[in-house]
Amino acid sequence: MGKMYEVALNIEGYRSSGKATVYGNNLKIGGSGNNGNNGNNGNNGSSDPTPIEGTLYTGSFENGTDYWQARGNASIAASSSKAYEGSKSLYISGRTSNWNGAELALDSNYFKAGSAYSFSTMAMPATSASLALTMQYDADGTTKYAQIAKADCTAGKWTLLENTNFTIPTGAKNCKVYIEAPDSLTDIYIDRAICAKAGYKAEGGSSNNGNTNTHSTTPTNTTYATNITAEYNAPSRQFKISWDPVKGADRYGIAVYLAGKWRVQKSDITTTSFVTPKCISAGTSYKIAVAARINGKWDTAGALKNASVIVARSGSNGNNGNNGNNGNNDQPQTHNGYYVDPSKPMVAISFDDGTSPTNSGYRIIDALAECDFRATFFYVGNWIGSEDQVRYADSKGMEIANHTTTHPDLTKQSSQQIRSEYDTTYNKLKRIIGKEPSKLLRLPYLSSNWQVQQTLYDVPMITCSLDTKDWDNASADQIVWTIQNAANNGSLNGAIVLCHETKSTTAEAMERVLPWLKANGYQVVTISDMFAAKGKTLNGGQIYTKVS
């Protein structure tokens, strides 16, 4: 088995979402001074943290970040505002995407694939959230993820996440440990991070022993499936979903959350894996739960409570916690000439409101198609004057999406009204094009608040990072200049651009600027395709202005 260690981590989170990308340094065991791989990493020249007796590493954060690093747009700093023990903890803030946060890379000289370690963490979210301790690793040429431990954490209360015998998967390389909150964008605190030999049990909190090694042959003692992972096969466009065996279970059932409801896919599974039907598009995410039948009884409540999010991504493991920044992407290529190259600059120009009484909408669609470009069209249900125009946009490969039914300020609506505004138009668009439309919602007036996000917890919400001001009577020249200027200064790459298909000035601008963009190496793509090409997930209940 080789050397065995344990890791303990203490975390607090506020409205965290649980998707994470990990860019850590090597964790240095023993010695003093700075980590040789990444400098002092925020330790401000202090010596290595003093280990707790019986452990191999302790992150106390009393003198700095103790080799943890920020991920994405997050900021990390030693903070005295909260602490589990001592006077400080590590505070993670500014998380604009699910995968943003903090991570700790493990040195392969000390942490060996196939060997067991104990990992734990104290967690305290600022608002109640489910927090998980997860490992990212590379194996077989892809980036994979394995859940170490998970617990529902209460705001203002430290909770111990712990797995005292987690085995690093065979063949794993570049192992990194990070904290995620699968359903929230909470700020996060961590304190007393520990690595120790397998079997070490951290003190404090309420232990929530997590999953063991990936798909262990040793059955878990839970009454529902844990350690759910999913591998996406791009050629067949299928998931293979796997989980750890449950002690005493003779059947498993798998359910998917679709259109606001849990829907059972199969309930007579006798193995610990399930292959989905074909034709799952790249970039698509699903919330899934796996229940187990023990002595004739199903623990569906436990399964739903511990559901995972999986993402269709070529070459990547799609388990909960996969942020999609690694591996090759299955690039959309649904219409002639349209292909999204992730290595080239791209922009998502999107169009609001509804079908136009003039021919401006058709002109925009044709201008896009002639350049082999695609865009996202957000329709206000009650403003659709021509259903044929919606079908025409769909036939040309455009993304058909939702802009509510009456275009109200959703921050002034009740939860029931908010949901009705979305669902009514979603169903109308589905009827018009004869298939499921995009789940994306453009927020009317780009306005949102906590209630809107909570009500539309399963809907990715879109604003913009570049506004052409066509709604404010910008001329065609001004619209063209706005887009060209952003392309020239670099801000257009990855941007979501706000336009309106009902404006003749916008149609003229598109007829001029789209060929210019193509000649200058830009791709104009749908919002969903842009995020998929960049390996990012569009998650429900969250607001997106651009892809970073």
Side-chain angles (χ1 to χ4, degrees):
M1 294 287 289
K3 293 183 179 181
M4 304 177 77
Y5 306 85
E6 174 177 14
V7 174
L9 313 168
N10 297 296
I11 287 79
E12 171 179 351
Y14 172 73
R15 296 185 64 190
S16 170
S17 69
K19 293 288 168 52
T21 297
V22 190
Y23 307 102
N25 60 310
N26 288 332
L27 173 62
K28 184 176 180 180
I29 306 294
S32 62
N34 298 329
N35 182 294
N37 187 40
N38 286 297
N40 71 6
N41 288 315
N43 261 26
N44 303 319
S46 63
S47 61
D48 287 350
T50 303
I52 296 174
E53 184 176 356
T55 70
L56 299 169
Y57 165 86
T58 302
S60 65
F61 310 112
E62 295 298 304
N63 298 304
T65 63
D66 291 348
Y67 303 114
W68 287 76
Q69 288 189 321
R71 297 179 285 108
N73 294 325
S75 300
I76 66 170
S79 172
S80 59
S81 63
K82 297 187 184 294
Y84 176 71
E85 58 187 22
S87 62
K88 293 181 180 180
S89 64
L90 185 69
Y91 176 49
I92 306 161
S93 60
R95 298 172 63 237
T96 59
S97 296
N98 289 348
W99 57 272
N100 295 169
E103 60 85 28
L104 182 70
L106 304 182
D107 192 332
S108 60
N109 291 319
Y110 300 96
F111 296 89
K112 305 293 186 181
S115 296
Y117 306 88
S118 177
F119 296 82
S120 64
T121 181
M122 297 300 301
M124 181 172 62
T127 59
S128 297
S130 177
L131 298 181
L133 178 61
T134 308
M135 176 173 285
Q136 175 183 308
Y137 62 96
D138 294 334
D140 301 323
T142 63
T143 300
K144 300 184 178 183
Y145 301 81
Q147 183 173 288
I148 299 172
K150 182 179 180 181
D152 290 332
C153 301
T154 303
K157 179 181 178 181
W158 291 101
T159 299
L160 176 64
L161 303 178
E162 187 176 60
N163 190 333
T164 60
N165 192 34
F166 177 85
T167 300
I168 297 177
T170 301
K173 298 178 181 179
N174 302 321
C175 298
K176 302 170 184 179
V177 176
Y178 62 98
I179 296 300
E180 59 181 354
D183 303 305
S184 175
L185 274 179
T186 181
D187 287 352
I188 301 172
Y189 291 82
I190 61 176
D191 195 7
R192 197 189 67 177
I194 299 172
C195 302
K197 295 179 179 180
Y200 179 92
K201 185 175 178 61
E203 296 180 356
S206 56
S207 179
N208 293 274
N209 204 42
N211 302 324
T212 57
N213 57 299
T214 303
H215 309 313
S216 167
T217 56
T218 303
T220 66
N221 290 321
T222 62
T223 54
Y224 50 85
T226 58
N227 198 16
I228 300 171
T229 60
E231 302 226 3
Y232 181 61
N233 185 303
S236 66
R237 299 172 70 185
Q238 290 176 289
F239 279 117
K240 180 181 179 181
I241 302 169
S242 304
W243 55 89
D244 283 350
V246 177
K247 187 176 182 179
D250 65 346
R251 291 288 188 278
Y252 297 96
I254 188 166
V256 180
Y257 193 81
L258 296 170
K261 295 181 179 180
W262 282 102
R263 302 173 188 272
V264 176
Q265 303 300 300
K266 194 171 183 180
S267 59
D268 60 349
I269 304 170
T270 57
T271 63
T272 56
S273 65
F274 172 73
V275 178
T276 67
K278 296 181 179 181
C279 300
I280 293 175
S281 299
T284 307
S285 63
Y286 296 93
K287 191 172 185 179
I288 62 170
V290 180
R293 188 178 75 175
I294 303 172
N295 296 325
K297 295 182 179 181
W298 295 89
D299 181 9
T300 54
L304 298 181
K305 186 177 180 181
N306 290 273
S308 295
V309 175
I310 60 175
V311 183
R313 188 172 295 116
S314 177
S316 297
N317 176 288
N319 66 301
N320 187 26
N322 184 357
N323 58 71
N325 285 330
N326 303 283
N328 297 321
N329 295 290
D330 179 32
Q331 296 308 319
Q333 191 172 7
T334 56
H335 294 79
N336 293 336
Y338 178 58
Y339 176 82
V340 185
D341 186 342
S343 67
K344 295 181 180 179
M346 65 186 73
V347 59
I349 302 179
S350 53
F351 302 88
D352 280 11
D353 284 1
T355 59
S356 58
T358 63
N359 66 345
S360 63
Y362 284 102
R363 288 172 61 190
I364 291 169
I365 295 166
D366 287 341
L368 288 160
E370 287 170 9
C371 290
D372 293 323
F373 288 160
R374 302 293 179 265
T376 303
F377 285 74
F378 292 97
Y379 293 98
V380 177
N382 285 358
W383 297 354
I384 297 175
S386 169
E387 294 186 359
D388 284 341
Q389 186 176 314
V390 179
R391 285 187 283 269
Y392 184 72
D394 178 62
S395 73
K396 293 295 185 178
M398 307 303 158
E399 183 174 29
I400 307 302
N402 198 321
H403 196 24
T404 71
T405 302
T406 65
H407 201 275
D409 184 341
L410 295 180
T411 64
K412 299 178 181 179
Q413 306 295 303
S414 67
S415 294
Q416 184 177 4
Q417 290 171 324
I418 294 168
R419 192 76 224 187
S420 177
E421 284 284 337
Y422 175 82
D423 288 346
T424 301
T425 292
Y426 184 91
N427 292 329
K428 183 172 185 175
L429 292 173
K430 182 178 179 180
R431 176 185 60 77
I432 293 172
I433 63 176
K435 61 184 180 182
E436 299 287 341
S438 170
K439 293 197 70 176
L440 303 183
L441 172 72
R442 172 88 81 195
L443 291 164
Y445 309 105
L446 309 184
S447 179
S448 182
N449 60 14
W450 178 86
Q451 181 181 359
V452 174
Q453 291 181 258
Q454 291 293 312
T455 302
L456 300 177
Y457 64 92
D458 56 337
V459 177
M461 287 167 274
I462 307 300
T463 59
C464 68
S465 60
L466 183 65
D467 185 353
T468 63
K469 301 289 186 179
D470 61 348
W471 55 270
D472 197 26
N473 297 318
S475 67
D477 287 343
Q478 290 171 321
I479 296 168
V480 170
W481 182 89
T482 296
I483 294 173
Q484 288 180 335
N485 183 61
N488 290 330
N489 67 30
S491 63
L492 191 66
N493 189 19
I496 297 174
V497 179
L498 175 63
C499 296
H500 294 75
E501 69 168 291
T502 55
K503 302 290 185 179
S504 59
T505 50
T506 303
E508 179 185 343
M510 292 303 110
E511 290 166 344
R512 291 163 51 188
V513 78
L514 293 176
W516 182 89
L517 287 171
K518 187 170 185 177
N520 284 272
Y522 258 89
Q523 305 169 96
V524 178
V525 301
T526 69
I527 293 172
S528 292
D529 285 351
M530 183 169 70
F531 276 74
K534 296 296 186 180
K536 301 296 179 67
T537 304
L538 289 159
N539 298 298
Q542 295 182 41
I543 298 172
Y544 297 90
T545 61
K546 63 180 297 182
V547 63
S548 56

